[in-house]
Every structure is written in structure tokens, then in C-alpha cells.
Amino acid sequence: MNKMKYLGIIGNFHHHQKYLTAAGGKIPLNGLCLNRNFSKLMSEQDSELKEFNDYLDNLKNHEKSGVPKGAGTDSDEGFDLGRMKRLMQSLGNPQSKYKAIHIAGTKGKGSTAAFMSNILRAEGYSVGCYTSPHIKTIRERITVGRQGDMVSAKAIKFLFKKIKVVLDKAVEFEMGHLSHFEVLTAVAFNLFAEENVDIAVIEAGLGGARDATNIISSSDLAASVITTIGEEHLAALGGSLENIATAKSGIIKHGRPVILGGPYISHIKLILQNKASSTCSPVINASDHGNKSIVKGITNISGVPCQLSDIILDIKKDLQLSIELHDIKLRLLGLHQLQNAATATCAALCLRHQGWRICDGSIRSGLESTKLLGRSQFLTSVEAEALGLPDTTILLDGAHTKESAKALVDMIQITYPDTKLAFVVAMASDKDHQAFARELLTGVGWYNLDRS
């Protein structure tokens, strides 16, 4: 049997999935973390979190059950943000003890958060980063400190015991309406305060205006970031692209700068700019014509492909920001990740404008060190062999929308343009599978558009 040069394992991985299944075969997801000692340590630490995980499992989890229609809109149908504010007040408003960067957007939030966190760590700051979802352990959602390590089970366990009485009273007061995500967000914000982080990078869960993370006051917000606007979670966010843009613009706060990633359709960009104008917020456009981000080629570092890129920014409106970074070696691949890197660079320059110490070398170092599980992740030859697929190049990527399918195809064409492909796809049932498959298969030349 001929070995495939390239096996794409793609989809929206969930922490409760044990396998990716295709053609009657199964690939165990626990094989994706292939260092046995590390996997054993992860399991041992997570076993310490049984009480905490059981507590969360007794709460409403919209990631598993689905998000109600209109839940992310700033309307009567939207989530009750007052619930989260009451919870945080009962905990002493720990989110007010550090500055925060708040990131919303349809795609690119997690990657931009990772880029930004690593830039700040490269400069020596202690950073708390909160993202979602996770692949193997809930601890992946919370990283803290100067090294970017995921939070220890010991730290979560200690804090949970400390605040459990407050959580119990809040759950009772809210008549059981507090959700899994709300409580986990409160725990993360508390952890960052306990660890005395210099700054937190916070990824919104759904939308922006009514998301549980949107309890950061303007005085505590360093900057907000909106990456892209697309049609994911359409029903939950108001049924139209315009309503999605309006929901995500809810993280823009009075007088605080907002970085727009993009590129956007013109009228969507106008919605975001109008919201910024109404809150007197300076706007930094990462995709303005004066900025230039290009992929120059692909290079290999320790057998793993990296894209050689330039990021040149020259922003003159609202704030004057500029930088030239040549021959950056990005581990996260594709034009979409280059745009995410440029967006994070804009955010770093914005902080520098506010007086934060961030040198060009730290921006470069942070961008180049960023890698994420399940995002443009190429397994090493040792990892591929452990999966029983020697001499095979394996890519793990969480693409699950039409737009991300196109980004995935673009990335494959940049890195392995002339190779055999095999795809194993797994994603949640609420995704638009047909649009995803059509975009993916058309992009790699497997789909006849005239076919019914």
C-alpha cells in the first residue's frame, strides 16, 4: 500500500471526543499528545480536578447543548450580563486588578490571543490568557505567568475551595441560571488576580456585547480587538452579518482603542467604525492599504514547516504606529495566520503607544514562538509513527466553517502544493457541513461544481 505524503486531520475537536472516525477506522485523540510522560502527568493533574469538573458539569453548558437563538445579541433574548456582574462583584471584582486586552471575532481570536500573549511574555511581562474551547484538558483555556504554562490543577483546586461558598450562593441566587462558561470565566479572572499578572489577554466566547467576558470596564481595558466578522453562530447572534458585527462591537469601550483585524466587507467595517466613533475610541486598522503583510516562502525548522513573512505597518489615522519586521518565521501557517500576526502586532504597538515597554525584538520573538494545538499543527515524524502512520506528514487543524476551509486550502497550497491528500473530518452537528466540504474539496480540486 502506498503511503500518503500528507494526511489532513481537520475539524472542530471537542474535549468529549475520544476518536476521529473515518472509513471505519479510528484515530485516538489521546494520541495527539504523544509524549507518554507528559500525557501521564496531564492525567494525574486532571484527576485532582474531579470536584471542580463535576461542579462545572452540573451547570448549563452551551458548548455541548447549543446556544439559544439570539443569546449573543444585545437584546431581551441575549444572555443576562447582569448575572455575571453580580457574580464578579461577590468575588470582589478581581478583573479590576490588572489591565486587559479583550478579543472578539468570528475567526482568529485564539491565534491572535496567543500571538499577543507571547509578545508580552517575550518582553518579560507576567500574562494571563483565557481562551476557549480546549482539546484535552480544561486547563488549556487558562495560561498564566511569564512562560505561558497552562494553569496547574493545584492552583485551580486551591482557588475553587477558597471561593466555592461564594459560587454556591451565586448559583442559588441566580436560580441555577449561572452557566459553565460564566463560572469558568470567573475562576480564570480570579486566578489572574491571585497570580498578580501584569496584563490579561481575554478571548470572548460568543459575540461580544452579552458574552460573560464583557465585564471589563473601560478603565481596566488596555485595548479591544475584533479579528474577523463571519456567519458562524448566525442564529445566536441575530441572523445576519450586520447583527453579528453589532454584537461583536459590544466589546468596544468608551475612550479605549480598538484594533480591527479584517479585512471586512465595507458596510461591516462601517458598523464597527461607527460604534468606535460613538464611544470616542481610536481605531487601528490592521488591514489598511498602508500596511503590507506577505508570505515570502516556506522554510523548515526541525522538520516542521514555517512560513517566512514580512509585516510592515504604517498607521497614520487616530494613532501613529509603524514597524517593519522582515523574514519572520511563523509556525502558524497561512495568509489568515499572517493577518492574525499583523493584528496582534498592531495591538502590541498600541500598547507601546500607551507607555508599555515592548521592543521590536519582543514582537518578533513572540510571533515566532507561537504555536497552538490543533491550529496549523504539523506532527513530528516521531508523533506520526506513534499513530501508526510512519513516513506520513500529518496536519491537525480545527477548521470547521466555509471561511476556515478556504484558509486551510490556501495554507496547504503554500506548504505542500503537489502532494497526495487524505482528509479525516470531525465536527459538531450544528456546523454547516456542506458549505465546509464544498469549499474544501473545490479548493483541492476534488469537487466538480457541476455535480448535483
Side-chain angles (χ1 to χ4, degrees):
M1 181 173 139
N2 292 331
K3 293 281 195 293
M4 289 289 181
K5 173 63 181 170
Y6 187 109
L7 171 63
I9 302 179
I10 57 181
N12 189 16
F13 307 135
H14 286 264
H15 58 86
H16 55 277
Q17 276 182 253
K18 303 299 182 186
Y19 298 94
L20 293 179
T21 305
K26 290 183 176 179
I27 297 175
L29 279 181
N30 60 16
L32 303 187
C33 184
L34 295 156
N35 182 314
R36 293 182 185 279
N37 292 331
F38 182 69
S39 294
K40 182 179 179 182
L41 179 62
M42 291 259 288
S43 297
E44 288 175 353
Q45 285 216 26
D46 287 341
S47 66
E48 295 183 43
L49 292 179
K50 185 179 185 308
E51 183 183 0
F52 177 65
N53 285 326
D54 287 347
Y55 191 91
L56 291 180
D57 286 343
N58 285 325
L59 303 173
K60 183 72 172 178
N61 188 342
H62 296 294
E63 291 176 24
K64 290 184 178 181
S65 63
V67 184
K69 183 179 179 180
T73 60
D74 196 9
S75 68
D76 291 341
E77 292 180 307
F79 288 130
D80 179 10
L81 199 57
R83 197 165 55 224
M84 189 67 186
K85 291 177 179 178
R86 288 188 291 273
L87 172 59
M88 297 309 291
Q89 187 171 9
S90 68
L91 291 167
N93 286 318
Q95 77 281 3
S96 66
K97 296 180 180 179
Y98 44 81
K99 294 295 184 181
I101 299 168
H102 199 190
I103 304 176
T106 302
K107 307 300 295 182
K109 298 188 297 293
S111 298
T112 302
F115 280 131
M116 192 64 226
S117 297
N118 286 330
I119 288 170
L120 290 162
R121 291 187 189 111
E123 190 61 56
Y125 292 109
S126 176
V127 182
C129 184
Y130 179 57
T131 60
S132 59
H134 63 273
I135 295 177
K136 287 183 62 65
T137 169
I138 202 165
R139 294 188 294 115
E140 293 169 31
R141 302 185 183 213
I142 306 170
T143 59
V144 66
R146 289 178 171 81
Q147 303 304 315
D149 297 325
M150 71 175 77
V151 66
S152 69
K154 181 179 180 181
I156 294 178
K157 184 177 179 180
F158 178 82
L159 178 63
F160 178 59
K161 286 184 178 293
K162 181 178 177 181
I163 66 173
K164 186 175 181 298
V165 171
V166 176
L167 294 178
D168 287 342
K169 289 180 179 178
V171 170
E172 182 180 1
F173 181 80
E174 303 295 349
M175 296 182 290
H177 292 300
L178 269 176
S179 70
H180 178 287
F181 186 73
E182 288 167 335
V183 170
L184 184 58
T185 300
V187 168
F189 286 8
N190 256 277
L191 275 166
F192 297 155
E194 293 279 326
E195 295 291 334
N196 293 312
V197 300
D198 298 309
I199 190 167
V201 180
I202 307 295
E203 176 190 351
L206 176 76
R210 294 295 185 93
D211 187 72
T213 61
N214 198 29
I215 41 86
I216 304 164
S217 68
S218 57
S219 60
D220 298 322
L221 183 69
S224 54
V225 180
I226 300 176
T227 55
T228 61
I229 302 294
E231 292 186 347
E232 192 174 10
H233 303 300
L234 196 60
L237 294 174
S240 71
L241 207 59
E242 293 77 12
N243 286 339
I244 290 174
T246 299
K248 294 184 186 299
S249 73
I251 69 165
I252 299 173
K253 297 294 195 305
H254 184 78
R256 306 312 300 152
V258 56
I259 294 90
L260 301 182
Y264 311 100
I265 303 169
S266 58
H267 73 283
I268 295 300
K269 183 177 180 180
L270 186 60
I271 290 171
L272 301 177
Q273 289 178 324
N274 285 343
K275 176 58 185 283
S277 177
S278 72
T279 57
C280 302
S281 300
V283 176
I284 299 99
N285 281 300
S287 54
D288 266 1
H289 296 304
N291 301 329
K292 183 180 179 183
S293 300
I294 59 170
V295 176
K296 300 167 72 174
I298 297 295
T299 185
N300 280 297
I301 299 178
S302 302
V304 176
C306 297
Q307 64 184 24
L308 205 61
S309 304
D310 289 348
I311 296 177
I312 301 169
L313 303 175
D314 187 19
I315 296 163
K316 299 186 183 302
K317 186 179 178 182
D318 289 3
L319 299 179
Q320 283 72 52
L321 310 171
S322 64
I323 193 171
E324 290 193 15
L325 298 171
H326 296 279
D327 298 328
I328 308 167
K329 299 178 182 69
L330 294 180
R331 299 190 193 190
L332 295 183
L333 307 179
L335 294 174
H336 63 300
Q337 293 293 6
L338 179 57
Q339 181 60 41
N340 293 333
T343 302
T345 301
C346 283
L349 294 177
C350 181
L351 290 187
R352 186 157 75 186
H353 186 271
Q354 295 175 22
W356 292 77
R357 184 190 69 253
I358 303 175
C359 69
D360 289 4
S362 293
I363 295 175
R364 174 185 291 274
S365 178
L367 296 178
E368 291 187 337
S369 66
T370 299
K371 58 182 180 178
L372 289 170
L373 285 174
R375 319 249 182 114
S376 308
Q377 180 188 355
F378 284 89
L379 298 190
T380 65
S381 57
V382 174
E383 291 169 334
E385 190 167 351
L387 284 177
L389 297 165
D391 304 318
T392 304
T393 302
I394 301 176
L395 167 68
L396 310 179
D397 193 84
H400 57 274
T401 65
K402 178 182 177 181
E403 292 78 14
S404 58
K406 184 180 185 307
L408 178 62
V409 169
D410 291 343
M411 188 259 286
I412 291 171
Q413 290 174 342
I414 290 171
T415 51
Y416 290 93
D418 302 310
T419 192
K420 294 179 179 179
L421 302 171
F423 294 103
V424 181
V425 180
M427 67 177 70
S429 59
D430 63 342
K431 305 305 176 188
D432 190 345
H433 308 99
Q434 289 189 354
F436 173 87
R438 179 182 287 267
E439 188 71 40
L440 179 68
L441 300 180
T442 299
V444 298
W446 287 3
Y447 196 100
N448 183 349
L449 290 175
D450 294 329
R451 188 175 170 185
S452 60

